Amino acid sequence: MSLNRSEKEAVISEVTSLAAKAQTLVMAEYRGITVANMDKLRVAARSSGVSLSVLKNTLARRAVAGSSFEVGADQMTGPLIYGFSEDAVAAAKVVAEFAKTNDKLVIRGGVYGGKVLDVEGVKQLASIPSKEVLLAQLCGLLMSPMSRTAVVLGALAAKKGEGAAPAAAEEPAAA
């Protein structure tokens, strides 16, 4: 079904607002995917904060014009699903995970930080741990020296305590 001019403008403005907030755009070809599998992909995307849209490529190109995603306009050919995410790795992670279990979804490319990503670039972006995991790893690294110091000081205190206990026990016997 063809969209009239006002509907096209509404789609463009919606996608433009998505692109303005997003850090990452992932494009994948969805030819041959069943409706049930597409629904599973959409549910997974929603739970990860990813906005998936099936758009006409001309509308997608117009929507990203002037944004950091404009560099990926050359990749916008064929039947594509567009995934925008505010989290840098969420869109790539959702699409790559789904593509592992469904061979009909073919990753075509993406854009991150104003740079075009090929298929391998999207897969590498998807392999980066989530923000929460990275923060937990950073906290662990920051706490590691402190906890090691505390263990060493505790061991020294225990060693001194062991040495002081027999000396205290000997003094009353000598007196």
Side-chain angles (χ1 to χ4, degrees):
M1 184 171 119
S2 179
L3 300 174
N4 65 31
R5 186 178 180 92
S6 63
E7 291 170 330
K8 288 178 183 178
E9 289 173 358
V11 168
I12 290 172
S13 67
E14 181 182 341
V15 175
T16 301
S17 68
L18 281 173
K21 293 184 276 184
Q23 289 188 35
T24 307
L25 166 64
V26 175
M27 296 168 277
E29 193 172 316
Y30 63 92
R31 189 177 290 148
I33 294 181
T34 64
V35 173
N37 283 336
M38 188 64 91
D39 287 341
K40 288 179 188 175
L41 176 60
R42 289 182 190 275
V43 167
R46 249 182 260 124
S47 67
S48 298
V50 177
S51 174
L52 287 179
S53 304
V54 175
L55 302 167
K56 285 188 170 190
N57 295 323
T58 54
L59 295 179
R61 280 189 213 102
R62 287 182 189 159
V64 299
S67 73
S68 62
F69 301 117
E70 187 174 19
V71 295
D74 294 342
Q75 295 179 338
M76 296 178 182
T77 58
L80 296 178
I81 188 164
Y82 296 90
F84 290 94
S85 68
E86 292 180 33
D87 182 4
V89 298
K93 195 172 288 281
V94 166
V95 173
E97 286 297 317
F98 190 80
K100 286 179 186 175
T101 60
N102 192 324
D103 61 340
K104 300 283 186 190
L105 186 73
V106 179
I107 299 170
R108 293 283 295 282
V111 179
Y112 173 71
K115 296 187 183 191
V116 176
L117 300 174
D118 61 353
V119 176
E120 287 305 312
V122 172
K123 288 180 181 177
Q124 286 178 352
L125 188 62
S127 68
I128 296 173
S130 68
K131 181 180 177 181
E132 292 79 20
V133 171
L134 289 174
L135 288 174
Q137 289 174 349
L138 178 64
C139 288
L141 286 173
L142 292 175
M143 289 181 57
S144 178
M146 289 185 283
S147 63
R148 280 194 235 143
T149 304
V151 167
V152 169
L153 290 176
L156 285 174
K159 189 174 182 181
K160 283 186 179 184
E162 290 172 7
E170 291 175 12
E171 286 180 20

